[in-house]
Amino acid sequence: MVEAKSNDLMERLVALCKRRGFIFQSSEIYGGINGFWDYGPLGAELKRNIKESWWQTMTRWRDDVVGLEATIIMHPKIWEASGHATTFADPMTDCLLTKKRFRADQIEPQSGTVYHFDGARDLAKWTSYIGNYPDSMREAVTEIVKEYSTVMSRTDADLMKDSAKIEARFQKEYQQAGNYNLAALNAVYEEFIKKGCDDPYSVLIATGKHPDYARKIARQFYQQRGLANPQLLGERAEKVENSTRYNPENGSLLTEPRQFNLMFKTWVGPVESAENLAWLRPETAQAIFAQFKNVLEVSRQKIPFGICQIGKAFRNEINPRNFTFRSREFEQMELEFFIRPDEAVEAICGRVAKPAGPGHPGAPQPDWGWQIWHQYWVEERLRFYENIGLPRASLVEYWQKPEELAHYARATVDILYKFPFSKRDANGELAGEELEGIAARSDFDLSQHQRFSGKAMGVYDEELKAAWPKLAEAKKAELSNRYFEARLKYLAKMGEPAPNAERLARAEAANLAKGNYVPHVIEPSAGVDRLALALLSNAYCEDQAPDEKGNLESRVVMRFHPRIAPLKVAVFPLLKNKPALVSKALEVRDLLRPHMAVFYDEAGAIGRRYRRQDEAGTPFGVTIDFETLGEQGAELKDTVTLRDRDTMKQQRVKINDLLPLLSEKIR
Ligand code: GAP
């Protein structure tokens, strides 16, 4: 992988987002706050459309998914059960020179020569001391100081030995002068030796670069430790390969990586004590698991079914970056889709269907096992992205390798979008960055909440209960045993003592035969802000358009899919000083407004108004002109010009036809 060479497009996109009011830096008037972003008028509309599309697709248009809206702050035990309190951490490291913070696992490995230093001493003491000597002696004293300097670049032991010789020479040479002060010299020397810094430090430089660069960086490091004029000690060089221990920007040594929990802390109530500690949720998913039984009871759903939620999540990211891509406050759109364990599917259907090949497996079937459900949701999500205008070629389906999987996951597919800042592969192609993760999470989450809350999280499945007695004894034994092994593995992994784990797993296997089990989960989890950024990147386009006089000029046009565009249509009276045109335009605006986001604009030349809407990404423009008023013939009365943002083609449309025509296009 190599870094994307130019992020020119990203810079232009960020500038447009501010200029047109898609995205602003949070708290900008106070200098901003890193990792937090505000959405302006167009950005707010875009985000609403994203969430609306997701909600429609995931629940309103399905019979097997229902919605939830839970609180951001929940009982702290939730985060113990989910593992976030102990394991939701990233390795963090700081530059010893600039204090800049990095995620240790995101540092690109570097090779070159490392210059190590044992410490440094402060020459400034000497320099000021020379001033106390008479002119006749200053030169000679300077010579001696220089000799000290040479000695300083060696180790402490050498320094002590040689400094004795230098002092002896000093005494011999200046014993005639009478007005020198050897005792004072010694005192300064002692202080000089003591006032050093013995912290070891290293700098990595690329092969071929002059070692003076490493020395310069090292001197800056010791200056920060209070040495005004540091003389470096104990320099030595070492070749290194693929090290991640140095700041890629300046070569400085980094601190040892340490784990940093990403959850934001707060206190519930007035007392800041351990028992009042609470966390801002780092994902919306856990509320769904915690409310699973309540929702199951009230929604009259049966496994398989899902619960979805859209809401804020907070992560104290070590290194927020790439505009809104990695933020500290963001929104998630998550579905937890609960399915039968494969043993229950097999007991009911006599088989477990597995994926037959790549692509969408079609409408859900009762004999689907977890793998085919997982594939189904990956394909459903890809369809969703294509439906709101992200071309398939801009998306990558990335199967996490076994060593990348979370400990509870059986498989995870990340849907990547080829953001302009994505890394490039060896062929120079954008590799893509995560937009959404679709994880097969087994029965981990509900099992954890069952253990931590003491409340049963399993379901009773009538079909399983009815099917079990009809199974052959050998099949019963096989399925029971498989279920027992899986539960035992989970319990042992969670630290349950062996005899207890075995007893619990046996009881659960016995319960399976009675129709009870803890459901498994497939989780498609997407970020609203990442999707907004993907849609903005995908829409951004520069091309040429004719101005009023027909001369070509460059324009920025945001080619959002009409379904997702912040504004659907702009309505323009040709001239604002013709009351008949204005009142007709307002009539058209009011006709469309209950059905879609309409922008009314009467200010400026019509070409400029079009250009403003092109930048906002408004797919359609309606102009009310003199033909509309019937001034150019009765047959054109009550018709308007409908302009298409992308083709810039214009057609005459009857006002009465506008609403059905536009509704069809934005549906
Ligand atoms: N419940 C699973 C979960 O939270 P995740 O991969 O950590 O999984 C899911 O997050 C999605 O949330 C990501 O694919 C991404 O779209 C979004 N997301 C995660 N961290 C984010 C951040 N710091 N800034 C913006 N979006 C983020």
Side-chain angles (χ1 to χ4, degrees):
M1 299 280 189
V2 291
E3 282 294 331
K5 272 208 182 105
S6 154
N7 265 325
D8 218 26
L9 170 60
M10 217 42 222
E11 274 167 33
R12 278 176 284 158
L13 182 62
V14 172
L16 175 109
C17 282
K18 178 162 162 62
R19 186 170 80 243
R20 292 315 316 260
F22 282 99
I23 300 173
F24 304 125
Q25 198 183 14
S26 165
S27 325
E28 196 188 272
I29 57 167
Y30 292 102
I33 168 164
N34 196 9
F36 297 87
W37 300 94
D38 293 338
Y39 288 79
L42 290 175
E45 291 286 350
L46 177 66
K47 267 188 101 174
R48 270 175 185 271
N49 292 345
I50 290 173
K51 291 187 271 185
E52 191 64 18
S53 279
W54 188 90
W55 194 258
Q56 294 274 23
T57 313
M58 300 301 263
T59 169
R60 290 217 182 118
W61 292 343
R62 302 185 63 105
D63 291 328
D64 57 357
V65 177
V66 292
L68 178 74
E69 187 151 333
T71 56
I72 286 169
I73 295 177
M74 294 184 277
H75 197 290
K77 274 239 161 184
I78 287 197
W79 308 113
E80 285 174 38
S82 68
H84 285 81
T86 44
T87 58
F88 192 56
D90 280 336
M92 170 178 85
T93 177
D94 300 326
C95 173
L96 279 169
L97 185 65
T98 62
K99 310 286 175 265
K100 185 168 172 182
R101 188 151 283 178
F102 295 88
R103 270 218 6 216
D105 54 343
Q106 286 176 346
I107 292 174
E108 287 285 335
Q110 304 158 79
S111 303
T113 308
V114 170
Y115 284 83
H116 299 283
F117 303 94
D118 290 338
R121 293 292 175 268
D122 197 349
L123 268 187
K125 280 271 156 203
W126 281 111
T127 320
S128 66
Y129 191 71
I130 299 165
N132 296 336
Y133 278 80
D135 289 351
S136 58
M137 294 175 67
R138 207 169 284 156
E139 205 178 303
V141 172
T142 304
E143 272 306 301
I144 289 177
V145 171
K146 270 196 198 150
E147 262 184 75
Y148 269 112
S149 306
T150 322
V151 172
M152 292 300 122
S153 63
R154 295 189 237 141
T155 65
D156 262 3
D158 289 340
L159 177 74
M160 297 303 282
K161 202 166 63 203
D162 285 2
S163 66
K165 277 195 227 149
I166 293 167
E167 270 179 52
R169 219 183 82 216
F170 184 87
Q171 200 160 13
K172 188 168 155 256
E173 280 185 33
Y174 298 109
Q175 61 190 344
Q176 318 301 341
N179 61 348
Y180 71 87
N181 186 342
L182 184 60
L185 175 72
N186 277 340
V188 173
Y189 168 70
E190 289 294 321
E191 206 181 322
F192 170 72
I193 290 296
K194 267 193 248 130
K195 268 210 77 170
C197 172
D198 290 324
D199 293 350
Y201 181 64
S202 342
V203 183
L204 170 64
I205 60 174
T207 307
K209 199 162 181 175
H210 199 283
D212 273 356
Y213 174 78
R215 292 175 192 136
K216 187 176 112 197
I217 296 287
R219 271 194 287 275
Q220 287 173 11
F221 168 80
Y222 290 112
Q223 270 166 354
Q224 284 186 357
R225 276 164 169 63
L227 276 61
N229 185 5
Q231 188 69 38
L232 303 170
L233 300 180
E235 176 183 312
R236 64 190 189 284
E238 181 197 5
K239 290 247 177 286
V240 294
E241 294 282 334
N242 296 324
S243 172
T244 53
R245 296 286 298 114
Y246 295 88
N247 181 346
E249 291 159 12
N250 61 9
S252 166
L253 184 67
L254 299 164
T255 58
E256 281 295 329
R258 54 208 186 280
Q259 290 298 320
F260 170 75
N261 193 300
L262 300 184
M263 285 198 292
F264 280 99
K265 263 185 207 165
T266 188
W267 285 269
V268 175
V271 184
E272 293 189 10
S273 61
E275 60 277 18
N276 290 337
L277 184 67
W279 309 94
L280 302 196
R281 68 180 177 200
E283 61 171 22
T284 61
Q286 292 307 320
I288 298 181
F289 298 124
Q291 290 292 3
F292 168 71
K293 288 305 279 275
N294 274 337
V295 176
L296 178 69
E297 217 162 90
V298 299
S299 62
R300 304 187 62 236
Q301 292 280 351
K302 284 196 304 189
I303 304 290
F305 85 102
I307 306 174
C308 70
Q309 175 167 221
I310 299 179
K312 288 267 187 187
F314 301 81
R315 295 183 189 180
N316 200 358
E317 296 284 355
I318 292 169
N319 203 1
R321 65 195 166 108
N322 290 330
F323 200 20
T324 57
F325 180 82
R326 192 173 297 288
S327 309
R328 289 181 164 140
E329 175 175 341
F330 55 97
E331 278 184 284
Q332 287 188 315
M333 306 181 284
E334 297 199 293
L335 166 68
E336 306 303 325
F337 196 81
F338 300 97
I339 56 173
R340 288 171 168 145
D342 278 7
E343 292 78 17
V345 174
E346 192 169 340
I348 295 165
C349 303
R351 66 191 170 274
V352 177
K354 302 224 156 117
H360 199 294
Q365 301 299 322
D367 64 353
W368 279 10
W370 72 266
Q371 282 161 306
I372 195 159
W373 270 115
H374 187 226
Q375 178 172 356
Y376 168 84
W377 278 112
V378 172
E379 293 296 327
E380 283 288 298
R381 300 301 303 140
L382 285 167
R383 276 186 186 175
F384 169 79
Y385 289 120
E386 285 186 82
N387 269 332
I388 56 169
L390 294 182
R392 187 63 185 82
S394 69
L395 301 169
V396 178
E397 186 181 320
Y398 175 76
W399 285 77
Q400 287 190 8
K401 299 189 190 87
E403 66 273 18
E404 293 172 321
L405 290 175
H407 61 93
Y408 49 77
R410 291 176 144 187
T412 299
V413 170
D414 290 335
I415 297 182
L416 315 181
Y417 174 76
K418 295 178 182 176
F419 286 99
F421 50 77
S422 302
K423 297 207 168 122
R424 289 179 186 272
D425 62 21
N427 304 322
E429 288 287 317
L430 287 172
E433 300 283 338
E434 182 185 329
L435 200 54
E436 163 159 2
I438 299 133
R441 297 174 70 111
S442 69
D443 51 7
F444 174 80
D445 303 278
L446 290 179
S447 302
Q448 284 292 95
H449 288 298
Q450 179 165 284
R451 287 177 61 235
F452 277 74
S453 68
K455 306 271 172 4
M457 286 300 203
V459 296
Y460 170 65
D461 188 328
E462 272 176 37
E463 284 182 69
L464 175 60
K465 172 87 171 43
W468 194 270
K470 296 178 200 149
L471 296 174
E473 288 309 311
K475 187 50 97 185
K476 282 184 194 166
E478 182 206 324
L479 294 179
S480 276
N481 205 38
R482 254 169 42 201
Y483 196 72
F484 164 77
E485 292 292 343
R487 297 303 294 165
L488 185 64
K489 195 168 158 201
Y490 155 74
L491 290 162
K493 207 166 167 182
M494 291 300 115
E496 201 66 57
N500 211 25
E502 186 153 346
R503 187 181 51 77
L504 287 170
R506 285 248 173 270
E508 293 189 42
N511 272 342
L512 183 75
K514 295 178 201 150
N516 292 300
Y517 54 78
V518 174
H520 285 230
V521 163
I522 308 289
E523 178 198 65
S525 169
V528 182
D529 309 78
R530 282 201 189 164
L531 179 49
L533 188 57
L535 290 165
L536 283 160
S537 313
N538 186 65
Y540 187 93
C541 182
E542 290 170 9
D543 68 5
Q544 301 269 304
D547 66 8
E548 252 98 289
K549 297 181 185 116
N551 299 323
L552 281 182
E553 59 176 12
S554 20
R555 71 165 180 165
V556 171
V557 54
M558 296 299 283
R559 295 188 195 276
F560 293 116
H561 191 289
R563 263 183 217 125
I564 215 79
L567 303 169
K568 307 300 181 194
V569 60
V571 176
F572 313 114
L574 186 63
L575 299 170
K576 79 166 175 191
N577 54 5
K578 295 280 176 229
L581 288 176
V582 169
S583 83
K584 198 72 186 169
L586 291 174
E587 232 177 77
V588 172
R589 179 200 67 182
D590 293 344
L591 168 81
L592 300 175
R593 200 177 242 180
H595 308 277
M596 61 193 77
V598 183
F599 189 79
Y600 175 79
D601 187 4
E602 56 181 31
I606 192 74
R608 292 181 72 83
R609 283 185 267 166
Y610 284 153
R611 217 55 83 239
R612 279 202 290 267
Q613 290 311 309
D614 289 343
E615 278 199 343
T618 313
F620 306 106
V622 169
T623 307
I624 285 76
D625 49 25
F626 292 105
E627 283 93 329
T628 318
L629 302 180
E631 292 185 10
Q632 315 289 325
E635 71 285 0
L636 292 179
K637 188 165 183 321
D638 285 334
T639 65
V640 292
T641 307
L642 179 66
R643 174 186 182 265
D644 181 287
R645 174 199 65 199
D646 297 338
T647 61
M648 290 181 279
K649 290 217 172 89
Q650 305 194 356
Q651 61 176 125
R652 286 270 359 134
V653 175
K654 286 191 188 132
I655 291 177
N656 281 346
D657 292 341
L658 259 185
L659 184 55
L661 194 144
L662 291 175
S663 300
E664 178 62 26
K665 287 181 190 280
I666 64 172
R667 208 152 52 94

